[in-house]
Amino acid sequence: MFKQLKARFGGGLAIAILSIIAVWLIALVILPQLLMVDYSLRPNLLPSELGGEKDTYSLINYETLFANKIHLTIFLKTIWSSVLVTLLTLCVSYPLAFYLAKVATPGQAALCILLLIIPFWINEILRTFSWYIILAYKGPLNSLLLALGLIDRPMRFMTGDGAVMLGMVYAYILFMIFPIYNAIENLDMNQIKAARSLGAGWIRTHYRIIIPHAKPGIATGCIMTFMLAAGSYAVPALLGSPGSRWFTQIIYNWFFEGGNWNQGAAYAFLLLLICIGFIALVMRIFKVGLGDIAR
């Protein structure tokens, strides 16, 4: 990497770039994670007890999750729901990404991309709150359904995980569309034409030609969407009900309401491990490496 940077920018600038990257990785990624691990292995003590006999390393903060059935259920539900959000986002994003890359004219693609990006100029909390208004008991969606005669009384859309998943698909759709779009855009259109000329239908063409070519983009989009969904706090807090809590809300409660940073760090580190495991699983399923994802 240094040789490539040196050939392009010169030795001095290459060293400066690598130094900035190293400082960023160490100060903002590695050290905070190490500090979180250190917190998670120590008990929650009074300031006067720090460094004393009770200040020892143990796994008791991790054991708390498996001993607490409610927290464990929420943890497992969060992982499963994040996987489902990723799959739903992929199903919505793939056709749109293919349309933008290979079907739409440059003008149509530019207009669609602009329409996708404009809502994201607004803060995520405001965008999520707009869905809260739309899905409210006396909101526009219920009013429209009542006016059309499709329902005889308002429905409560925010009583389960459905509203949370809908909000997350909307919130993170760009993180799925653009990696897939970039991957499909590089595909030679002649390969698609050749497959169609040889009698392959659209489903077979996508399965044999387009999807294999777009695997790095699909893997990148799935990884980014899953990690954002698993670590989301604003969407489940606004669109969720008491029965649809997210694991990040439990972590937030430990840190800022319970004042137990050690327990919160243990929960946060477990969630990080699951995310790392998901990345490894996606890379194995799609048979891609870090270089393919970072491309």
Side-chain angles (χ1 to χ4, degrees), residues 36-41 58-67 262-263 265-267 269-270 273:
M36 182 173 67
V37 173
D38 179 70
Y39 265 86
S40 70
L41 294 173
S58 69
L59 297 175
I60 189 170
N61 291 321
Y62 293 93
E63 294 172 358
T64 300
L65 174 63
F66 300 98
N262 305 86
Q263 189 66 66
Y267 277 29
F269 187 64
L270 284 172
L273 289 179

Side-chain angles (χ1 to χ4, degrees), residues 13 141 154 187 191 206 250 261 273 280:
L13 188 56
L141 181 58
L187 177 62
Q191 296 186 42
H206 279 275
I250 305 297
W261 284 38
L273 289 179

Side-chain angles (χ1 to χ4, degrees), residues 58-230:
S58 69
L59 297 175
I60 189 170
N61 291 321
Y62 293 93
E63 294 172 358
T64 300
L65 174 63
F66 300 98
N68 191 317
K69 300 295 184 180
I70 297 177
H71 288 184
L72 182 59
T73 301
I74 294 174
F75 176 69
L76 297 175
K77 188 210 72 172
T78 298
I79 302 305
W80 163 247
S81 298
S82 298
V83 172
L84 189 56
V85 168
T86 303
L87 294 176
L88 290 173
T89 308
L90 176 61
C91 292
V92 173
S93 301
Y94 178 82
L96 185 54
F98 176 77
Y99 171 80
L100 293 174
K102 294 301 178 185
V103 178
T105 63
Q108 292 173 337
L111 178 60
C112 288
I113 291 175
L114 184 63
L115 292 175
L116 285 170
I117 292 177
I118 285 177
F120 286 80
W121 293 351
I122 305 172
N123 183 273
E124 180 184 353
I125 295 178
L126 295 178
R127 284 187 281 111
T128 304
F129 191 71
S130 68
W131 277 107
Y132 178 87
I133 295 173
I134 292 171
L135 299 174
Y137 185 72
K138 294 184 178 180
L141 181 58
N142 268 319
S143 299
L144 177 62
L145 294 176
L146 287 170
L148 294 175
L150 299 177
I151 56 176
D152 55 359
R153 57 183 176 181
M155 299 178 61
R156 297 189 182 275
F157 294 105
M158 292 182 287
T159 56
D161 294 327
V164 175
M165 292 186 183
L166 176 62
M168 286 189 177
V169 170
Y170 172 75
Y172 308 131
I173 190 171
L174 290 188
F175 296 95
M176 183 72 77
I177 286 180
F178 285 134
I180 299 176
Y181 167 77
N182 289 332
I184 296 178
E185 190 180 30
N186 297 326
L187 177 62
D188 187 354
M189 193 65 184
N190 290 325
Q191 296 186 42
I192 299 176
K193 292 180 180 179
R196 297 289 291 162
S197 298
L198 292 173
W202 274 114
I203 296 178
R204 188 174 181 83
T205 301
H206 279 275
Y207 178 72
R208 297 295 298 273
I209 304 295
I210 302 171
I211 292 179
H213 182 83
K215 283 195 301 183
I218 295 174
T220 303
C222 288
I223 289 170
M224 295 177 67
T225 303
F226 175 84
M227 295 186 69
L228 288 168

